[in-house]
Amino acid sequence: EPEAAWPGAETAFVQAAQAECQQAAGADHIRDFTIDAQYNRLNWTLLLLPAYVTWYEEGGQVWPVLVNGQIGCVSGARRASPRKARNASLIVGAIALLLILFGGLLSVAGLLFPPLIAIGGVILLVGVLPALVAPIPAIAVWAYNRRSGQET
């Protein structure tokens, strides 16, 4: 509606007037610019606001995104990708599992060659850290989407 677009149009008029005054004065900067204008008998003949509408699909649901072509403001649901977070958690978990299995095998092989027990124990301990960190991406994305009120 034109009435809803008026605040943006008025702001554009004020910015244009400020730019004209700055150019006329040959100034690099303007400080404390004010304008006292009255707009009477407004006649809206054409109101076009450039906008780009797109979407993305996540989890079987379509999420619309609107980009204001004039100021570049993006609006729409901001979601973190649960699929990407799950994949990251699985990759870190797989690395942890491989380290733990390799460390365990070296520790068992240490029964035949005792120095391997120490190496296997260190690798086991190193494998515990990614095992503890693995669920963090999935939990963080779940919490972000829930906090944003966009959880499906």
Side-chain angles (χ1 to χ4, degrees):
E1 293 293 316
E3 293 79 21
W6 172 243
E10 183 178 18
T11 303
F13 288 141
V14 170
Q15 289 173 347
Q18 180 178 354
E20 287 287 327
C21 289
Q22 181 178 357
Q23 183 181 11
D28 290 331
H29 304 283
I30 289 185
R31 182 174 39 181
D32 298 328
F33 178 82
T34 57
I35 185 170
D36 185 19
Q38 294 179 359
Y39 305 96
N40 297 321
R41 295 184 290 149
L42 297 174
N43 183 16
W44 296 87
T45 57
L46 186 60
L47 177 65
L48 296 176
L49 295 174
Y52 303 98
V53 180
T54 186
W55 57 273
Y56 66 94
E57 190 173 339
E58 180 67 47
Q61 188 170 0
V62 175
W63 299 93
V65 177
L66 177 69
V67 180
N68 183 323
Q70 207 168 21
I71 60 174
C73 180
V74 178
S75 61
R78 293 183 182 211
R79 288 181 42 89
S81 174
R83 180 181 47 84
K84 289 180 181 178
R86 183 186 63 237
N87 289 345
S89 290
L90 289 174
I91 289 170
V92 173
I95 291 170
L97 181 64
L98 288 174
L99 287 171
I100 290 171
L101 287 176
F102 185 65
L105 286 174
L106 282 179
S107 296
V108 170
L111 297 173
L112 299 175
F113 189 64
L116 289 180
I117 290 177
I119 296 170
V122 169
I123 293 176
L124 274 170
L125 288 176
V126 168
V128 170
L129 179 64
L132 293 174
V133 172
I136 291 176
I139 292 170
V141 165
W142 174 80
Y144 175 80
N145 287 342
R146 183 177 171 97
R147 194 172 44 248
S148 298
Q150 300 294 329
E151 185 177 76
T152 57

